[in-house]
Amino acid sequence: DVKVTQSSRYLVKRTGEKVFLECVQDMDHENMFWYRQDPGLGLRLIYFSYDVKMKEKGDIPEGYSVSREKKERFSLILESASTNQTSMYLCASSLWAPGETQYFGPGTRLLVL
Amino acid sequence: QKEVEQDPGPLSVPEGAIVSLNCTYSNSAFQYFMWYRQYSRKGPELLMYTYSSGNKEDGRFTAQVDKSSKYISLFIRDSQPSDSATYLCAMTLPPSAGKSTFGDGTTLTVKP
């Protein structure tokens, strides 16, 4: 079974703090994704990566950056957390092939005070 | 206008009911269609996957794709309280190789 793990289930941070969210997958998938999920807004893609050190902006990259130094690990960084970044953050991975489905981690609920 | 529109819900049905969940889309190039199920406080998990038009059945679940109408549906027969979850439709363009466009999700509650 594909396993995608996220470093924290719940996080509470202060405005202005730098926040790191880590995601690890164990199935040698090329693609990795970061989403945020908010009520009424669905899943919104922040960034994705199709290879080590490669990244592409998704629909809402502002205020976020990412790092992929190893194939299995994809980090999301909030440079200076703000209250409007309070959300559920979901990581996913997939193979690089047409029609491949995504496997999601359990999510991190981030509260920025 | 979003590329993928999903019936917003929420939907509440009695146990045993037939449930129909629906999505429409605007890009006729979508070829791969998925339904994910997301339980509360969990990540989405793949439920059904279909390629192009047609029906696919898996136990109590049937996924239907009508490319001519740009419409996909998920039917749940004999719904159970354990089916209570948010259902997300998703679809992929052939060159996107694993990158999908998601609907906003429909929350279903099945009451015993």
Side-chain angles (χ1 to χ4, degrees):
Chain A
D1 273 357
V2 175
K3 194 165 184 185
V4 180
T5 57
Q6 295 184 228
S7 50
S8 305
R9 293 301 306 274
Y10 301 95
L11 270 181
V12 181
K13 296 292 180 181
R14 296 277 179 197
T15 301
E17 279 193 76
K18 191 167 186 176
V19 182
F20 293 86
L21 303 181
E22 284 221 315
C23 175
V24 178
Q25 50 94 3
D26 66 357
M27 283 302 290
D28 204 33
H29 283 172
E30 293 88 359
N31 294 342
M32 295 190 76
F33 307 83
W34 274 107
Y35 297 89
R36 62 178 285 178
Q37 187 175 34
D38 302 286
L41 296 175
L43 273 175
R44 293 182 290 169
L45 181 64
I46 304 171
Y47 268 98
F48 73 99
S49 167
Y50 51 89
D51 200 354
V52 175
K53 297 192 186 294
M54 305 301 288
K55 61 185 179 185
E56 284 198 23
K57 293 180 180 179
D59 300 319
I60 51 161
E62 297 79 17
Y64 303 94
S65 61
V66 290
S67 172
R68 191 160 181 208
E69 297 296 318
K70 292 185 178 181
K71 191 175 185 180
E72 67 271 18
R73 192 179 296 267
F74 192 35
S75 300
L76 180 70
I77 303 148
L78 285 65
E79 298 290 343
S80 177
S82 63
T83 55
N84 63 13
Q85 292 178 309
T86 291
S87 186
M88 169 75 136
Y89 289 87
L90 287 160
C91 175
S93 71
S94 77
L95 288 169
W96 174 262
E100 281 300 326
T101 60
Q102 295 183 23
Y103 296 84
F104 285 85
T108 297
R109 285 195 175 273
L110 173 67
L111 173 62
V112 182
L113 299 173
Chain B
Q1 187 186 359
K2 292 183 179 180
E3 271 193 300
V4 177
E5 298 276 1
Q6 185 167 358
D7 289 352
L11 198 56
S12 181
V13 301
E15 184 174 352
I18 296 174
V19 176
S20 172
L21 303 167
N22 307 295
C23 288
T24 58
Y25 60 95
S26 56
N27 190 340
S28 58
F30 283 127
Q31 280 198 11
Y32 303 91
F33 303 91
M34 287 77 77
W35 285 95
Y36 289 81
R37 179 175 60 196
Q38 184 178 20
Y39 290 116
S40 182
R41 296 185 172 80
K42 298 279 179 70
E45 57 180 352
L46 181 69
L47 185 61
M48 297 285 284
Y49 169 91
T50 51
Y51 169 70
S52 200
S53 281
N55 290 0
K56 184 174 183 179
E57 192 172 316
D58 184 1
R60 296 182 295 107
F61 299 89
T62 300
Q64 192 172 79
V65 175
D66 181 349
K67 288 196 76 182
S68 62
S69 302
K70 300 196 195 76
Y71 191 89
I72 70 170
S73 298
L74 177 71
F75 297 98
I76 307 173
R77 291 186 300 280
D78 187 25
S79 56
Q80 303 294 309
S82 58
D83 295 328
S84 298
T86 296
Y87 291 81
L88 299 152
C89 64
M91 42 201 81
T92 305
L93 296 168
S96 297
K99 181 169 173 277
S100 298
T101 301
F102 288 83
D104 288 350
T106 301
T107 298
L108 170 68
T109 302
V110 181
K111 296 186 175 179

